[in-house]
Amino acid sequence: MTRVDLTVRGAGIFGLSIAWEAARRGARVRVIETTRIGAGASGGLVGAMAPHVPELWNAKKAFQLESLLMAADWWAAVEAASGLPSGYARTGRLQPLPDARAISQAEARGVEAATLWRGQAAWTVIPTRGSPWEPASPTGLLIHDTLTARVNPNAALAALVAGIRAMQGEVTEHDTTDEGPVIWATGIAGLDHLSALLGRPVGSGVKGQAILLAHDARDAPQLFIDGLHVVPHADGTTAIGSTSENRWTDPTGTDAQLDALLARARLALPVLNDAPVIARWAALRPRAASRAPVLGPWPDRPGHFIANGGFKIGFGMAPMVAQTMVDLVLDQRDTIPADFRPELLSASSVQK
Ligand SMILES: Cc1cc2nc3c(=O)[nH]c(=O)nc-3n(C[C@H](O)[C@H](O)[C@H](O)COP(=O)(O)OP(=O)(O)OC[C@H]3O[C@@H](n4cnc5c(N)ncnc54)[C@H](O)[C@@H]3O)c2cc1C
């Protein structure tokens, strides 16, 4: 029988990223997915990887920054091993500035970014140019950051699967035997399971709906307009995300809330008016009670580990989640931020 050093449960962005990282370090990995690859929150349309605002710095923001900074090399390695595109590109992002207060806040954040982002990306205030791919801005000014990137979610998952297999790893959609340490990257099912075990909710699913248009702006920056993400992809599509719903009955159905989102996007960016709709999609984001990722050993269950809580930024954090989990599980090197540790779950309650 083939030796397996590590089993990963769940073929979403967390599970596949961890398995890829372990495989490229020479471990023999097995990924077990019980539904289908990308069946959960990861099999979507948006794939924005945008930084937290550079102020009030904390461990979560620092962790995500490292992930965004390492992403270009990380996705290039996945593409090289798999021979498949991930859709990764660091195309930056524009945001309108509605008033004088927003301008001074943006300028202060630009100063913070100069230090916090270590010269590897910039946050600046720039004038509008009247381009059709520009949000209207009452002040005539925009924030431009050069850190925001994107991947194409389903292409990225396919590239990871092929990369793992190229490194002799297994990815299976049939339930089979766990061998070696087991990392549970099972998204909302994992949070529900932990809640049942602990007898209290340790997380919940926040529904999101998104839409994909046939509009080719592949080299243009992302736009962030009054809570809307407009994300051009390399394949000539543009994604619009996303609703955020704490109450829902159908976790994967789309409805009038998505129509309203699209209408807002078209009002804000008339160049999208005639773009045909290619796909509508919805899923539950796995949100832990802490709103932070949950990474580390499964309390009281030796040999088992948890990687969950990607919430709204699972793709952005994936490279660091993978590095941190593989450091821990294969090299016994524990660099997990204190706020992310699973043992905190038993002491927490769900925030609404
Ligand atoms: C509308 C929407 C828009 C989003 N936009 C962005 C964005 O722009 N940028 C960003 O970074 N993030 C975004 N997110 C969030 C991101 O998608 C999630 O944070 C991320 O997908 C979570 O990944 P995951 O691997 O932890 O979970 P999932 O993708 O849910 O994967 C868990 C997997 O585990 C499987 N599974 C469950 N139980 C078992 C078991 N017992 N054994 C084996 N397998 C099992 C499931 O079938 C599933 O495939 C968005 C989410 C939504 C819904």
Side-chain angles (χ1 to χ4, degrees), residues 93-113:
R93 183 168 75 157
L94 299 174
Q95 305 175 55
L97 286 167
D99 53 34
R101 188 172 160 274
I103 296 170
S104 61
Q105 193 178 46
E107 286 170 345
R109 289 172 174 172
V111 173
E112 289 283 304

Side-chain angles (χ1 to χ4, degrees), residues 127-140:
T128 53
R129 290 172 307 149
S131 144
W133 194 262
E134 220 174 48
S137 178
T139 59

Side-chain angles (χ1 to χ4, degrees), residues 274-342:
D274 298 325
V277 173
I278 300 174
R280 296 160 65 93
W281 177 79
L284 297 182
R285 305 174 179 96
R287 181 189 66 173
S290 61
R291 292 170 182 256
V294 180
L295 305 178
W298 188 317
D300 306 323
R301 202 170 168 192
H304 292 255
F305 298 82
I306 297 169
N308 209 319
F311 194 23
K312 294 188 174 178
I313 58 170
F315 281 87
M317 288 191 300
M320 262 304 268
V321 166
Q323 179 176 292
T324 307
M325 290 303 295
V326 175
D327 282 352
L328 177 73
V329 178
L330 294 185
D331 297 341
Q332 289 75 51
R333 204 159 70 82
D334 186 342
T335 58
I336 295 168
D339 294 350
F340 295 5
R341 306 194 77 87

Side-chain angles (χ1 to χ4, degrees), residues 8-16 32-50 64 153 157 175 184-190 206-210 222 229 231 240-243 281-286 307-318:
V8 178
R9 288 233 158 216
I13 188 63
F14 273 17
L16 291 171
I32 302 172
E33 164 61 52
T34 46
T35 305
R36 73 187 145 70
I37 294 159
S42 304
L45 307 174
V46 187
M49 305 199 293
Q64 192 227 21
L157 298 185
D175 205 350
W184 293 83
T186 49
I188 191 66
V206 177
K207 183 174 172 180
Q209 303 184 41
Q222 284 172 49
H229 293 272
V231 183
I240 316 285
S242 305
T243 67
W281 177 79
L284 297 182
R285 305 174 179 96
N308 209 319
F311 194 23
K312 294 188 174 178
I313 58 170
F315 281 87
M317 288 191 300

